[in-house]
């Protein structure tokens, strides 16, 4: 009987110890939180509200139920958004902007109180569209291509300055895509075709001018040649012309002699050589 009571008492003590350890482990676990690399924490206190100090990386203590940590990712993250904006000459342009952003660490409590954990999704698309519309409206449609570096620089400066008002740091801003409406694209194509036609017409005019000059030079050469021949004939008589005529006749006769389909007939006499004249 006494041994049974001892065993029961022993088991009871073990159960109490285990229960106490369980409660202690639970309280300890609730009193600890970990901030990973590239993150920061903001503590919310039920009595004091958001604490102004930012908690760095590592494992930290808090008061269970009374305090609650909110973790922020402070690494640079990409964001992409598009906008349809009107140019100075009333053309619609489709722009896509890519930014690399991160929060200003010292201002995380203020960001949490005013914007929450999804601060970037709330701020960047709105200010991005605002800046792009304001910048694009300062340029004509064709200037967005010819002066693209200046447009990108202006967008970058304006957006960085605007994001700073919300305690957001932009490491990079870039225009990744730019396209025009169907009407403007068609007008650009027609302009290119017209320029090509103008260049072609210019080439045709230049070619005709060169051909005209060549014809004049050729005619002048032939006139000079005829004059020289006339002077030579007047000085030497008709002998030169007769010599040229004989040389031409010899060339013709030589050519005809080499042709098998040419037959020579007498200049006079009966062409029907095989017939009797008495018949």
């Amino acid at each position: 009987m006494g041994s049974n009571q001892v065993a029961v008492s022993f088991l009871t003590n073990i159960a109490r110890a285990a229960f106490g350890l369980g409660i202690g482990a639970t309280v300890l676990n609730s009193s600890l939180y970990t901030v990973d690399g590239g993150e920061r924490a903001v503590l919310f206190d039920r009595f004091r509200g958001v604490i102004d100090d930012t908690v760095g990386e590592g494992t930290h203590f808090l008061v269970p139920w009374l305090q609650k940590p909110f973790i922020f990712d402070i690494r640079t993250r990409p964001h992409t958004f598009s906008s349809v904006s009107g140019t100075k000459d009333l053309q619609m342009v489709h722009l896509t902007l890519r930014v690399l952003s991160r929060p200003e660490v010292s201002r995380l409590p203020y960001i949490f109180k005013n914007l929450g954990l999804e601060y970037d999704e709330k701020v960047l698309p709105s200010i991005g569209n605002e800046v792009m519309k304001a910048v694009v409206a300062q340029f004509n449609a064709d200037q967005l291509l010819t002066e693209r570096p200046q447009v990108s620089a202006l967008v970058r400066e304006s957006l960085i300055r605007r994001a700073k008002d919300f305690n957001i740091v932009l490491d990079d801003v870039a225009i990744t895509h730019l396209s025009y409406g169907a009407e403007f694209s068609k007008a650009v194509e027609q302009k290119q075709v017209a320029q090509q036609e103008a260049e072609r017409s210019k080439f045709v005019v230049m070619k005709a001018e060169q051909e005209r000059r060549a014809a004049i030079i050729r005619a002048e050469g032939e006139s000079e040649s005829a004059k020289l021949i006339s002077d030579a004939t007047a000085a030497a008589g008709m002998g030169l012309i007769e010599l040229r005529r004989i040389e031409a006749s010899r060339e013709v006769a030589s050519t005809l002699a080499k042709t098998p389909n040419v037959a020579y007939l007498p200049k006079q006499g009966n062409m029907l050589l095989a017939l009797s004249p008495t018949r």
Side-chain angles (χ1 to χ4, degrees):
M1 187 69 179
S3 61
N4 291 336
Q5 291 179 351
V6 171
V8 170
S9 176
F10 178 73
L11 293 175
T12 301
N13 291 333
I14 291 177
R16 289 175 179 174
F19 180 74
L21 289 174
I23 293 177
T26 301
V27 172
L28 181 62
N29 184 60
S30 301
S31 302
L32 297 175
Y33 67 97
T34 300
V35 180
D36 295 330
E39 296 179 343
R40 294 293 184 273
V42 174
L43 279 181
F44 172 75
D45 189 283
R46 292 183 182 273
F47 295 134
R48 294 182 295 169
V50 177
I51 298 176
D52 293 334
D53 296 329
T54 301
V55 182
E57 301 169 0
T59 301
H60 306 275
F61 289 95
L62 55 77
V63 180
W65 183 84
L66 186 63
Q67 295 177 333
K68 181 179 180 181
F70 292 90
I71 307 298
F72 279 85
D73 186 352
I74 63 170
R75 290 167 291 193
T76 300
R77 295 190 295 174
H79 299 273
T80 302
F81 43 89
S82 301
S83 174
V84 179
S85 306
T87 62
K88 188 176 181 180
D89 53 354
L90 304 180
Q91 298 293 334
M92 301 307 296
V93 180
H94 300 265
L95 290 169
T96 300
L97 200 65
R98 191 264 304 155
V99 300
L100 299 178
S101 68
R102 55 185 173 87
E104 189 175 345
V105 176
S106 61
R107 301 290 292 170
L108 284 178
Y110 177 84
I111 293 175
F112 177 71
K113 286 189 290 186
N114 292 273
L115 299 173
L117 294 174
E118 302 298 330
Y119 63 94
D120 48 359
E121 299 297 334
K122 296 177 181 177
V123 173
L124 291 178
S126 60
I127 65 174
N129 281 296
E130 174 190 348
V131 168
M132 281 195 292
K133 290 181 184 298
V135 172
V136 170
Q138 302 177 26
F139 297 87
N140 292 329
D142 56 340
Q143 291 178 320
L144 294 179
L145 292 177
T146 58
E147 302 179 13
R148 183 162 180 169
Q150 180 181 352
V151 175
S152 298
L154 190 57
V155 170
R156 184 183 301 108
E157 293 173 2
S158 301
L159 195 55
I160 289 176
R161 184 171 59 253
R162 193 75 177 86
K164 191 175 182 180
D165 296 337
F166 297 91
N167 303 294
I168 299 175
V169 179
L170 299 183
D171 293 327
D172 185 57
V173 179
I175 298 175
T176 58
H177 179 72
L178 189 151
S179 62
Y180 297 96
E183 294 182 358
F184 184 79
S185 299
K186 184 177 180 181
V188 171
E189 182 179 356
Q190 291 176 349
K191 181 179 179 181
Q192 291 176 345
V193 171
Q195 289 177 345
Q196 293 174 357
E197 290 293 334
E199 291 295 329
R200 182 176 179 275
S201 300
K202 183 178 179 181
F203 172 76
V204 170
V205 171
M206 293 176 62
K207 181 180 179 182
E209 180 66 19
Q210 294 298 327
E211 290 178 349
R212 184 184 67 83
R213 292 181 181 179
I216 292 174
I217 294 173
R218 187 165 50 250
E220 291 176 350
E222 292 176 354
S223 175
E224 185 67 23
S225 176
K227 183 179 179 181
L228 292 174
I229 293 174
S230 176
D231 293 343
T233 302
M238 299 299 294
L240 179 61
I241 296 178
E242 188 65 26
L243 177 60
R244 297 302 185 200
R245 184 180 299 169
I246 292 172
E247 290 176 352
S249 299
R250 289 178 61 184
E251 290 181 1
V252 171
S254 176
T255 302
L256 293 176
K258 296 176 182 179
T259 304
N261 296 327
V262 176
Y264 292 93
L265 298 176
K267 185 176 181 181
Q268 296 177 355
N270 194 350
M271 296 178 60
L272 302 177
L273 302 176
L275 298 179
S276 176
T278 59
R279 193 70 181 238

